[in-house]
Amino acid sequence: AAPAKLHAVTLLRGTAQKSARVKQTLEALGLKHRHETVIHKNTPTVNGMLRHVMHCIDIKPVRFDPKPLPGKSGIFFSNAGVVHGATEEAFLKTFQE
């Protein structure tokens, strides 16, 4: 199987008692609060940052379900790493990093 194009990254542990370098890396990844999830492209630069803070985060490949969730309109991202209501191609067109 081909590697995932996108990662769903969730901050599991707070930044208290973490080194300044770890805090800066988490901030650069866009993670400020526990249980916050962001999506990043699978690039060598991002992967190096993720390796550096691996002890604080959870990483899941992003999957796509083109069917929207019942009662929801538009694109919805679930905690399981699934983007509902969009195809991968359509989502990548709107994705900014």
Side-chain angles (χ1 to χ4, degrees):
K5 292 181 183 177
L6 300 172
H7 296 303
V9 183
T10 303
L11 181 60
L12 297 178
R13 302 181 187 272
T15 57
Q17 299 180 348
K18 300 287 188 258
S19 70
R21 186 170 174 209
V22 168
K23 289 179 183 180
Q24 290 170 348
T25 303
L26 290 170
E27 187 174 330
L29 288 167
L31 295 167
K32 296 180 180 124
H33 306 286
R34 285 180 54 206
H35 308 293
E36 181 176 20
T37 301
V38 295
I39 298 176
H40 283 286
K41 288 184 179 177
N42 184 0
T43 64
T45 303
V46 170
N47 291 341
M49 295 169 71
L50 296 176
R51 266 193 304 279
H52 180 70
V53 295
M54 188 66 92
H55 59 285
C56 299
I57 61 174
D58 179 45
I59 304 170
K60 294 179 184 172
V62 174
R63 296 172 301 158
F64 292 88
D65 181 4
K67 294 178 282 184
L69 290 177
K72 302 271 186 184
S73 62
I75 298 173
F76 181 77
F77 179 72
S78 72
N79 290 342
V82 180
V83 175
H84 297 276
T87 62
E88 184 174 1
E89 295 79 24
F91 186 78
L92 286 173
K93 286 180 184 175
T94 62
F95 187 76
Q96 296 177 6
E97 187 167 330

